[in-house]
Amino acid sequence: MIQWMTLLQKELLEMWRNFKWIWMPISFILIGVQKPITTYYMPQIIDSLGGLPEGAVLKIPTPTAREVIMQGLGEYTSLGALIIVLSTMGIIAAERKSGVAAMILVKPVSFTSFVTSKWAGGVLLMWLSFFIGCLTTWYYTGLLFDWVPFGEFLQAYFFYALWFTFILTVSVFFSSMLRTSGTAGFISLAVVIIVSIVSSTLSRWLEWSPAQLTSYANEILLDKGVSEYLLPAGLLAGVCIIILLALSVMIFRKKELAA
Amino acid sequence: MSLIQISGLKKSFQGTEVIKGLDFSLGKGKCIALLGPNGAGKTTTLRMLSGLMAPTSGTITFTDAKKGEDIRHFIGYLPQFPVFYEWMSGLEFLIYSGKLAGLKHKQAKERAMELLQLVGIMDAKNRRVGKYSGGMKQRLGIAQALIHSPELIMLDEPVSALDPLGRREVLDLLEGLKKETTILFSTHILNDAEEVCDEILFLHNGEIVESGTMNELRDRHQQAKIDFIFKTKSEEIETYFTNHELTQSVNIDGKRNSVFVKDIERARQIFLQEILEKNWPLEKFELSSMTLEDVFMKVVRK
């Protein structure tokens, strides 16, 4: 456990030294703040672009605060996933490729600690950055529209973050399996996109898919109540994460570190 | 007292057997050189001993290790091209590896300072490793291998990439370390092995072709040798030496003909006479005993 903490500390320090602690929150804030602001200023934006032609009547219904915050979080599903994969795809592959993994693993370091501490570092960074991002969405929505109850917002945040943890774990898994970060990132994104598309097109049959977590979170935000599939989907996400992590450790252990 | 026992160690890559069954043991407190030409399997052997690579078959046993104990506690390893976290300072990296090896932060720091002093990069301790020169990285690599005071340190070509000055310093460092721990280091430079090591393992094509202490090797291979150096290379001369009844073997290296003989007195007389008669352009002539290099060439040719 002491060793695991040492490894985690190193991860956190590394993310600080290479500014991940700065650019991750900033990217998430930029994504998060965009929706409430553009929605609020839409009439002015249209005006400044020359306005609507004479006679055209365009009724833009003012969205409710709940809709705005839901759309705001929705922005994260694609861009957020991309950021997460980009920031974790090299987490193991890069260290193995450079050879520094071999330097560390000739010390009596357990493979499980090595992989899980990296994962934990990534998860910590992601949950915090994403929280800060979501918080700005919530704040600006409250400021410009109306305040959405913080508890419901937190619930929605949690299930989004759980889905993102799943994405992050997929990325860690491919990073431990493949030698190059780029390939690991590409395949992770492909897998996540396929899971999302399949789950949303076959949503009737795949209610328990982790990819549905975001739509259930949206339902909470829209005050539609808690879906009965939220719990199974959440549990399945947890199980997938654990299995993927275990597989990552197994594959990593089997790989010849040197050569 | 042996520290580590290796028996029947084999390694194959995609069906090609690279290491063909090694059996040897390393004595406690000794300095052993793993000597061999490029591609002999030195690095592969060290990687298997360090636990970075699983042997295809065979066993590696530490005398002091309990059953099931992680042997990495006993080993310090320096790869041929050490890599570090570039964003860490030298001191930070040493403390980090010390803690990973089970030291408390305070102990790790004390030990790290000690080692920085020992390997002579104290001045650069707070500099990022990314800014270190090749020689400094090599020293830092040796320091990290020693951080948990292991019983055996393995160094993969520790001096091959260094300039003569750095080479000298690292060799002196090894000389000093001999008192503290068992050292196994690989090299293809014979002089380095001869200089610091007590024992030598010759690896060639994945097999140990010769081993023993320097003296044992000398005794075993002691042979009278006559070096003839001519102005020009000539087949006629080469054939003469090769086919002569007094000759045991000949090493031909350009204009140099190293002739191994049994009866050195007779050989000298007869050979010199022949050279005078034929008027071969002899430039230099030397009677000598075998060097490690000759042993090396001999076992590698076999």
Side-chain angles (χ1 to χ4, degrees):
Chain A
M1 197 60 200
I2 297 169
Q3 192 184 57
W4 194 83
M5 285 308 294
T6 307
L7 287 161
L8 179 63
Q9 265 170 23
K10 174 254 152 192
E11 286 305 311
L12 299 181
L13 184 67
E14 176 167 24
M15 292 189 292
W16 177 246
R17 294 258 170 101
N18 61 23
F19 305 110
K20 270 190 192 171
W21 280 112
I22 313 269
W23 69 256
M24 276 278 277
I26 291 183
S27 329
F28 277 115
I29 288 173
L30 287 178
I31 300 172
V33 82
Q34 176 197 340
K35 201 74 200 179
I37 292 188
T38 49
T39 315
Y40 184 76
Y41 290 108
M42 193 48 86
Q44 281 94 323
I45 293 170
I46 290 171
D47 269 349
S48 74
L49 290 176
L52 293 167
E54 202 72 32
V57 187
L58 181 64
K59 273 205 177 159
I60 308 169
T62 319
T64 66
R66 286 172 177 281
E67 278 165 3
V68 173
I69 204 166
M70 185 209 93
Q71 286 167 5
L73 290 191
E75 296 285 316
Y76 287 111
T77 43
S78 48
L79 273 178
L82 185 67
I83 291 174
I84 289 164
V85 170
L86 285 178
S87 71
T88 46
M89 64 189 190
I91 202 163
I92 293 170
E95 284 201 9
R96 191 169 55 218
K97 200 169 181 212
S98 79
V100 72
M103 293 287 281
I104 295 307
L105 289 162
V106 283
K107 297 276 179 286
V109 175
S110 96
F111 286 78
T112 314
S113 301
F114 187 80
V115 173
T116 54
S117 66
K118 286 188 171 306
W119 174 84
V123 166
L124 219 60
L125 174 70
M126 185 273 283
W127 278 67
L128 259 157
S129 311
F130 181 51
F131 185 71
I132 296 170
C134 284
L135 208 60
T136 43
T137 314
W138 178 80
Y139 177 74
Y140 275 95
T141 310
L143 213 60
L144 302 172
F145 298 86
D146 206 354
W147 296 97
V148 175
F150 196 66
E152 284 168 34
F153 157 74
L154 271 188
Q155 282 177 34
Y157 158 75
F158 177 82
F159 290 108
Y160 264 90
L162 189 58
W163 164 238
F164 287 159
T165 310
F166 172 81
I167 295 176
L168 188 143
T169 315
V170 170
S171 178
V172 169
F173 171 75
F174 284 110
S175 192
S176 78
M177 189 160 100
L178 301 164
R179 274 192 88 79
T180 43
S181 328
T183 341
F186 178 76
I187 297 180
S188 310
L189 276 179
V191 167
V192 169
I193 290 171
I194 290 167
V195 170
S196 305
I197 291 178
V198 169
S199 308
S200 59
T201 43
L202 304 176
S203 57
R204 204 176 285 266
W205 297 281
L206 296 175
E207 291 104 340
W208 36 261
S209 159
Q212 298 286 25
L213 281 170
T214 52
S215 20
Y216 301 144
N218 288 342
E219 285 176 14
I220 295 175
L221 279 177
L222 292 177
D223 213 8
K224 283 188 189 159
V226 178
S227 163
E228 56 179 310
Y229 296 109
L230 181 62
L231 192 64
L235 283 178
L236 186 67
V239 170
C240 286
I241 288 169
I242 292 169
I243 291 176
L244 278 172
L245 263 184
L247 283 175
S248 306
V249 174
M250 263 170 57
I251 290 169
F252 187 62
R253 185 174 290 149
K254 282 257 170 70
K255 286 251 156 171
E256 310 254 89
L257 275 168
Chain B
M1 181 65 182
S2 85
L3 176 71
I4 182 171
Q5 276 283 346
I6 285 95
S7 59
L9 196 67
K10 285 186 186 179
K11 181 75 192 175
S12 308
F13 291 115
Q14 282 121 34
T16 325
E17 204 163 59
V18 184
I19 302 292
K20 298 165 184 162
L22 304 184
D23 296 278
F24 61 92
S25 65
L26 302 179
K28 221 174 218 169
K30 292 273 163 44
C31 175
I32 303 108
L34 189 60
L35 205 55
N38 292 329
K42 300 188 295 282
T43 298
T44 309
T45 308
L46 290 182
R47 279 177 180 165
M48 283 192 283
L49 295 188
S50 66
L52 279 177
M53 209 180 247
T56 310
S57 68
T59 56
I60 300 163
T61 326
F62 268 81
T63 317
D64 292 346
K66 293 175 201 76
K67 210 171 171 345
E69 198 173 355
D70 193 339
I71 62 162
R72 292 180 294 177
H73 284 289
F74 299 91
I75 303 172
Y77 175 66
L78 171 71
Q80 191 168 2
F81 306 106
V83 210
F84 308 91
Y85 294 115
E86 308 258 295
W87 51 270
M88 278 190 185
S89 73
L91 178 63
E92 280 174 333
F93 189 86
L94 286 183
I95 296 177
Y96 180 56
S97 23
K99 280 163 88 176
L100 290 182
L103 299 182
K104 297 232 163 55
H105 184 86
K106 208 171 145 246
Q107 291 173 304
K109 190 166 181 190
E110 276 165 18
R111 180 79 178 141
M113 295 299 268
E114 233 175 271
L115 289 168
L116 284 166
Q117 192 73 52
L118 180 72
V119 299
I121 46 169
M122 196 48 141
D123 294 341
K125 67 173 190 292
N126 290 323
R127 215 180 300 164
R128 299 269 159 105
V129 182
K131 300 225 156 52
Y132 276 27
S133 70
M136 290 161 84
K137 283 188 183 166
Q138 206 72 28
R139 287 147 196 259
L140 183 61
I142 294 178
Q144 65 80 32
L146 290 166
I147 191 85
H148 52 308
S149 316
E151 297 191 36
L152 169 67
I153 60 166
M154 292 189 274
L155 313 169
D156 196 358
E157 308 257 358
V159 293
S160 307
L162 299 179
D163 60 22
L165 199 66
R167 203 185 125 255
R168 184 73 265 137
E169 283 172 350
V170 170
L171 286 178
D172 289 344
L173 190 65
L174 290 183
E175 191 73 47
L177 287 176
K178 275 161 72 174
K179 290 177 213 104
E180 293 177 33
T181 172
T182 311
I183 304 174
L184 173 66
F185 83 88
S186 76
T187 181
H188 59 260
I189 304 169
L190 298 136
N191 282 336
D192 296 345
E194 206 161 6
E195 206 167 310
V196 280
C197 282
D198 320 307
E199 280 177 40
I200 288 178
L201 290 167
F202 269 112
L203 202 60
H204 184 51
N205 286 336
E207 282 170 296
I208 291 184
V209 284
E210 182 61 284
S211 65
T213 65
M214 286 304 300
N215 289 336
E216 278 170 17
L217 285 179
R218 277 219 189 81
D219 287 349
R220 204 175 308 156
H221 295 277
Q222 194 60 276
Q223 229 182 358
K225 187 180 86 166
I226 313 178
D227 277 346
F228 296 96
I229 299 170
F230 295 95
K231 274 211 182 77
T232 46
K233 191 172 156 59
S234 142
E235 292 228 355
E236 188 196 352
I237 302 172
E238 284 163 16
T239 347
Y240 169 74
F241 284 126
T242 316
N243 297 336
H244 202 280
E245 51 172 15
L246 284 172
T247 308
Q248 283 184 313
S249 66
V250 185
N251 270 351
I252 293 162
D253 175 19
K255 295 169 199 163
R256 174 198 293 268
N257 291 248
S258 305
V259 187
F260 298 94
V261 290
K262 261 220 180 89
D263 188 344
I264 196 157
E265 286 307 315
R266 253 189 82 207
R268 181 177 61 172
Q269 235 174 3
I270 293 173
F271 287 163
L272 283 178
Q273 220 157 30
E274 179 78 13
I275 290 167
L276 281 175
E277 248 167 55
K278 298 266 168 73
N279 204 12
W280 285 333
L282 183 67
E283 215 167 38
K284 198 175 165 201
F285 155 79
E286 195 176 16
L287 298 176
S288 62
S289 61
M290 276 185 98
T291 63
L292 191 55
E293 186 162 349
D294 297 315
V295 179
F296 184 75
M297 294 313 285
K298 207 173 134 194
V299 293
V300 166
R301 292 262 168 87
K302 248 193 272 181

